[in-house]
Amino acid sequence: MDKLNKLKIQVTLLLVFQVILIVFFKLMWDVNVIASILITIIEIAAFAILFKTFENDSEERNLGVTRILGTEAKDAFLFGETGMVSYDDNYVITWMSDLFDERGFNRVGKKLLVWLPEIDDLIAGKADEIEITLDDHIYLVHRKEDAQVLFFKDITETKEFKNAYEDEKVVVGLINLDNYEESTRYEDEKLTSSINTSIRQPVIDWCKSHGLLLRRLKNDRYMVVLNEAIFRTLVDDRFSILNTVKKASQELDVSITLSMAFARGTSNYEELDEMVIQLLDLAQARGGDQVAIRRSGEDVKYFGGSSEAVEKRSRVRVRIMANTLKDLIQKSSNIIICCHKEADFDCIGGAIAMSRIVQAYNKPCCIIAKTGGIEEKLAAVMESGKVELAARHQFVTENEAINQYRDDSLVIMVDHHSLKQSNGSQVLERANKIAIFDHHRRSADLEVNPTLVYIEAGASSTSELISEFIPYLSNRIEIDELEANIMYAGIIIDTNRFKVRTGSRTFEAASMLRSLGADPLVVDDYLKDTYSEFAMKSSIMSTCEQYEKGIMIAPVENRVISRSIMSQVADSILQIKDVQASFVIAKINDQQIAISARSKGKVNVQRIMENMHGGGHLTAAALQRNGSNVLELKDELIDAISRYIEEVEGNESHPVE
């Protein structure tokens, strides 16, 4: 209104000046001024109407604001640090409340979205409220639905208190030096001192430099307490201590890696304690050299994991597991063995070995193998030996297994630990007693409540794991030549003919199977390709596309390919010079598309696949997806690879302390 009054005074002075000029010209030169007088009268009338219209509009707006805010709005809204802005149909600001005047904002007559482009979603109805920052103040902006009015609530102080509260929330962590005890137990004092100086001390220094409260629980394990603000600095640093320890271990030629776990997001200390223990177990079960993080109510996230899992299971642990398995079998009425879908040589090899163990204790046993599918080459082997296998094992469908289930039945998961991958998921959902035997890196949630879990990521195969039980079981376990050959083939395939994930225990298991009648020539014959398979592989190889860091992708369109062929092609691509990782993408049936990933060890294909909701090992991983197409999955894969490379290069950029 003040501006309008000033404008009225200015216009009035101009009109008075105009009248004086007309009189002056009439008196001095007797000029005919009738036309000028008429024009002046029209101007006066026009300005009067115009000013009256503006006054009425302003009065209506003020009345509208009064109805919205009440008669004591000014003091109340200033006290509550709340402002208002009204605008017209063209989004031009027509009025701003006193809060903005006090803070030096005057945008009346300006376009609202030019001043605050970030509120476009609010105006369009895509958001109920948004936060914006003006100078040093943070405002929560809300739009009144039935009026062209925006409410601005100053939440600066509230935001600061909230941020301070979030920053001070407690985070609990565990740090473990994997294989530290094994590496120092029988070494001389000089090497032990070097390990402590080059590996353990940098961990302590790293914790102190970031402000972590550190307490040693035992020689190879520490507990740390920190807050969210410090935790964010560790994430920004990408937990560079992992790389420091790994490089120091390589220089000392020892197999020590670092596993860390951090639990956060709750003030319940008992929950944090339970969560962080589970996370450390998870990090170690996945092979170590990584960080497992979980915020209460959210999924687990990982950093690191760029080293292959090391053999860590001891003879003592194998014996304990064998005896625990024996006790479970003896206390159960019958045993049901579940395989994973599209069962391969290792899965069936582990299942039939487990079946023979159960039979040695005179318990009924069945293997779910007629549901979920069997890999093509394995199916041919089982068909040729079906009489022999049927005489020694009971292969059933999932429905038949359900009919055999009792309340005290033991259900064993072989070569997998995911309910979604199992060919006996309905049996598992009913089961009271579940045992898991697997060599894949453990996922965050088991989805079942197992009585016994034996997941060893350092093992080459499930056939290796189960074969190790045989010497420790009191009853004689009989494995014939066909069964030994299937188990041996499982080890051969999962190690890519002893090239990856192969330790001394792998050769010991292979040696034992040879003594039981396994024949490498027979196994080699199992795995030979037909001419059509050879031609198909050559065709797939021709689709390879090369990417950075020695990565090759083979996208196969317009044809359905079995998963076994995909994995074989992925292995073959690795034989090309300078190729570090390979990915084959193809349809495995009319509804599903899969990726088979292989690596020589420098590229962690497991992490790439996990980012796409798949899984596996550092050197062998996969995923399958419903309702997608090859090119879409290829684009998603390239994005996942780029993010992985960016993260790895970020870790590599941190110098060793």
Side-chain angles (χ1 to χ4, degrees):
M1 289 299 293
D2 292 339
K3 290 183 178 180
L4 186 61
N5 289 331
K6 289 180 180 179
L7 183 61
K8 287 170 67 176
I9 293 171
Q10 292 171 353
V11 171
T12 302
L13 290 174
L14 286 173
L15 290 173
V16 169
F17 181 70
Q18 183 174 328
V19 171
I20 292 172
L21 284 177
I22 292 171
V23 173
F24 177 75
F25 281 110
K26 176 65 176 175
L27 294 176
M28 292 295 297
W29 294 288
D30 194 24
V31 177
N32 187 356
V33 293
I34 294 175
S36 298
I37 292 173
L38 289 174
I39 292 172
T40 301
I41 293 171
I42 292 171
E43 288 177 345
I44 293 171
F47 280 119
I49 293 170
L50 185 61
F51 284 131
K52 185 63 176 177
T53 301
F54 277 129
E55 287 176 354
N56 290 339
D57 182 64
S58 178
E59 189 174 340
E60 288 177 5
R61 191 180 305 116
N62 289 333
L63 288 173
V65 172
T66 301
R67 284 194 298 269
I68 295 170
L69 305 180
T71 55
E72 303 299 329
K74 177 179 178 180
D75 293 339
F77 272 68
L78 286 176
F79 178 78
E81 294 188 300
T82 300
M84 290 182 59
V85 171
S86 64
Y87 55 92
D88 60 21
D89 293 336
N90 296 317
Y91 301 106
V92 175
I93 299 173
T94 57
W95 176 78
M96 302 179 73
S97 67
D98 299 276
L99 180 72
F100 295 104
D101 288 337
E102 289 192 353
R103 295 183 178 179
F105 292 106
N106 187 353
R107 298 292 189 276
V108 175
K110 305 292 185 182
K111 286 280 189 179
L112 180 62
L113 295 177
V114 173
W115 177 42
L116 300 173
E118 56 265 50
I119 68 169
D120 184 46
D121 287 345
L122 187 65
I123 297 297
K126 296 179 181 178
D128 295 329
E129 55 188 25
I130 62 167
E131 288 184 13
I132 64 169
T133 301
L134 296 174
D135 289 345
D136 297 327
H137 294 272
I138 302 171
Y139 298 89
L140 184 65
V141 185
H142 178 78
R143 182 175 69 91
K144 185 171 174 59
E145 293 183 2
D146 56 351
Q148 294 171 322
V149 177
L150 297 177
F151 294 94
F152 289 71
K153 171 63 180 173
D154 190 329
I155 58 170
T156 307
E157 189 172 336
T158 303
K159 196 75 173 177
E160 289 174 353
F161 280 127
K162 183 178 179 181
N163 290 340
Y165 170 73
E166 292 292 334
D167 287 346
E168 294 302 322
K169 278 188 174 180
V170 173
V171 179
V172 176
L174 286 175
I175 299 176
N176 195 84
L177 290 165
D178 306 322
N179 300 317
Y180 175 83
E181 292 286 354
E182 292 83 348
S183 299
T184 58
R185 184 175 298 159
Y186 303 113
E187 297 294 343
D188 57 36
E189 290 294 328
K190 183 177 179 181
L191 179 58
T192 301
S193 177
S194 297
I195 289 173
N196 289 334
T197 302
S198 302
I199 296 177
R200 190 159 73 172
Q201 190 59 43
V203 174
I204 296 171
D205 294 341
W206 179 78
C207 292
K208 289 182 177 179
S209 67
H210 285 89
L212 281 68
L213 173 63
L214 181 74
R215 287 293 179 268
R216 190 173 74 180
L217 302 179
K218 51 184 182 178
N219 284 341
D220 58 354
R221 183 168 295 189
Y222 298 87
M223 182 184 77
V224 293
V225 180
L226 58 155
N227 60 28
E228 286 283 349
I230 296 173
F231 177 77
R232 284 197 296 274
T233 66
L234 302 184
V235 174
D236 292 340
D237 183 54
R238 294 183 181 273
F239 299 95
S240 60
I241 190 63
L242 291 175
N243 205 38
T244 302
V245 170
K246 183 166 62 177
K247 289 184 177 179
S249 297
Q250 291 170 350
E251 291 173 1
L252 293 172
D253 194 24
V254 293
S255 299
I256 297 175
T257 57
L258 198 63
S259 292
M260 295 192 286
F262 292 92
R264 48 197 283 263
T266 177
S267 57
N268 186 324
Y269 294 104
E270 185 176 352
E271 182 182 348
L272 287 174
D273 179 59
E274 182 179 346
M275 197 190 309
V276 77
I277 292 172
Q278 292 175 350
L279 287 170
L280 186 61
D281 288 343
L282 180 59
Q284 292 179 308
R286 289 165 54 87
D289 185 32
Q290 59 193 282
V291 186
I293 301 164
R294 170 171 268 172
R295 186 181 183 91
S296 181
E298 297 181 2
D299 292 335
V300 180
K301 296 181 180 178
Y302 303 99
F303 282 82
S306 57
S307 298
E308 183 60 285
V310 179
E311 285 185 359
K312 292 183 288 186
R313 62 194 189 281
S314 65
R315 303 287 184 186
V316 174
R317 186 168 186 231
V318 174
R319 177 174 55 80
I320 291 172
M321 284 292 172
N323 288 329
T324 304
L325 173 63
K326 179 189 71 173
D327 291 340
L328 280 173
I329 291 171
Q330 291 178 328
K331 293 176 182 178
S332 303
S333 61
N334 65 309
I335 285 77
I336 299 171
I337 300 173
C338 298
C339 301
H340 59 68
K341 296 174 182 176
E342 294 298 323
D344 54 15
F345 278 96
D346 185 42
C347 183
I348 294 297
I352 60 179
M354 187 63 70
S355 174
R356 296 302 291 146
I357 290 172
V358 172
Q359 292 171 38
Y361 291 95
N362 300 312
K363 293 289 183 178
C365 178
C366 67
I367 301 172
I368 302 176
K370 295 182 178 180
T371 299
I374 292 178
E375 185 269 325
E376 189 176 355
K377 285 186 171 64
L378 173 59
V381 173
M382 293 181 70
E383 177 63 26
S384 64
K386 65 180 179 180
V387 175
E388 183 179 347
L389 289 172
R392 298 170 67 90
H393 305 282
Q394 183 186 9
F395 296 106
V396 299
T397 65
E398 184 177 22
N399 287 333
E400 290 171 337
I402 291 173
N403 292 333
Q404 295 188 28
Y405 176 77
R406 304 291 180 267
D407 289 340
D408 59 347
S409 296
L410 172 64
V411 181
I412 299 177
M413 301 175 71
V414 173
D415 200 35
H416 70 294
H417 59 271
S418 170
L419 196 63
K420 295 177 182 177
Q421 293 177 346
S422 182
N423 66 1
S425 57
Q426 295 182 55
V427 179
L428 289 165
E429 289 171 353
R430 291 172 166 81
N432 296 319
K433 291 189 294 183
I434 298 173
I436 298 174
F437 298 91
D438 191 14
H439 70 112
H440 297 96
R441 289 196 175 192
R442 180 174 167 177
S443 57
D445 298 307
L446 291 177
E447 304 170 309
V448 294
N449 186 22
T451 305
L452 174 64
V453 178
Y454 191 41
I455 299 176
E456 286 292 339
S460 70
S461 58
T462 305
S463 295
E464 175 189 326
L465 284 179
I466 297 177
S467 67
E468 286 189 325
F469 293 157
I470 294 175
Y472 297 100
L473 294 169
S474 55
N475 290 18
R476 179 178 174 81
I477 313 300
E478 296 182 0
I479 305 289
D480 70 8
E481 290 183 7
L482 176 58
E483 294 164 343
N485 279 329
I486 292 174
M487 294 175 68
Y488 191 86
I491 295 176
I492 288 290
I493 292 171
D494 279 18
T495 60
N496 194 11
R497 298 184 183 274
F498 300 108
K499 294 176 185 175
V500 294
R501 297 194 305 280
T502 304
S504 60
R505 306 280 280 272
T506 309
F507 289 110
E508 288 175 13
S511 176
M512 188 194 74
L513 292 172
R514 282 284 285 134
S515 69
L516 293 173
D519 187 340
L521 293 177
V522 173
V523 171
D524 187 60
D525 194 54
Y526 288 169
L527 306 180
K528 283 182 178 177
D529 294 330
T530 63
Y531 177 77
S532 61
E533 289 173 334
F534 174 78
M536 181 182 292
K537 288 181 181 180
S538 300
S539 175
I540 296 171
M541 291 278 286
S542 68
T543 67
C544 285
E545 301 172 3
Q546 191 163 4
Y547 290 85
E548 57 183 323
K549 306 296 181 183
I551 293 172
M552 295 196 76
I553 300 175
V556 184
E557 297 184 78
N558 304 321
R559 67 192 307 181
V560 175
I561 299 172
S562 69
R563 294 181 64 175
S564 62
I565 292 292
M566 290 176 64
S567 61
Q568 291 169 40
V569 172
D571 285 328
S572 298
I573 295 173
L574 287 183
Q575 306 307 312
I576 300 173
K577 188 176 180 180
D578 297 328
V579 173
Q580 296 299 327
S582 61
F583 299 85
V584 178
I585 313 171
K587 295 180 69 174
I588 55 176
N589 55 51
D590 291 337
Q591 289 79 36
Q592 292 181 313
I593 293 179
I595 297 179
S596 184
R598 294 293 184 271
S599 167
K600 290 181 178 177
K602 288 187 177 181
V603 177
N604 189 338
V605 292
Q606 178 208 8
R607 284 173 58 191
I608 296 172
M609 290 294 94
E610 282 185 337
N611 288 335
M612 298 175 67
H613 308 291
H617 284 285
L618 181 146
T619 55
L623 70 80
Q624 61 184 42
R625 184 80 58 81
N626 292 322
S628 184
N629 64 59
V630 170
L631 294 181
E632 287 177 354
L633 205 55
K634 173 189 164 186
D635 292 339
E636 186 179 343
L637 172 62
I638 292 172
D639 182 61
I641 291 171
S642 299
R643 285 187 279 114
Y644 166 77
I645 291 173
E646 182 180 348
E647 181 179 338
V648 170
E649 289 181 344
N651 286 336
E652 296 289 338
S653 67
H654 294 289
V656 178
E657 297 175 359

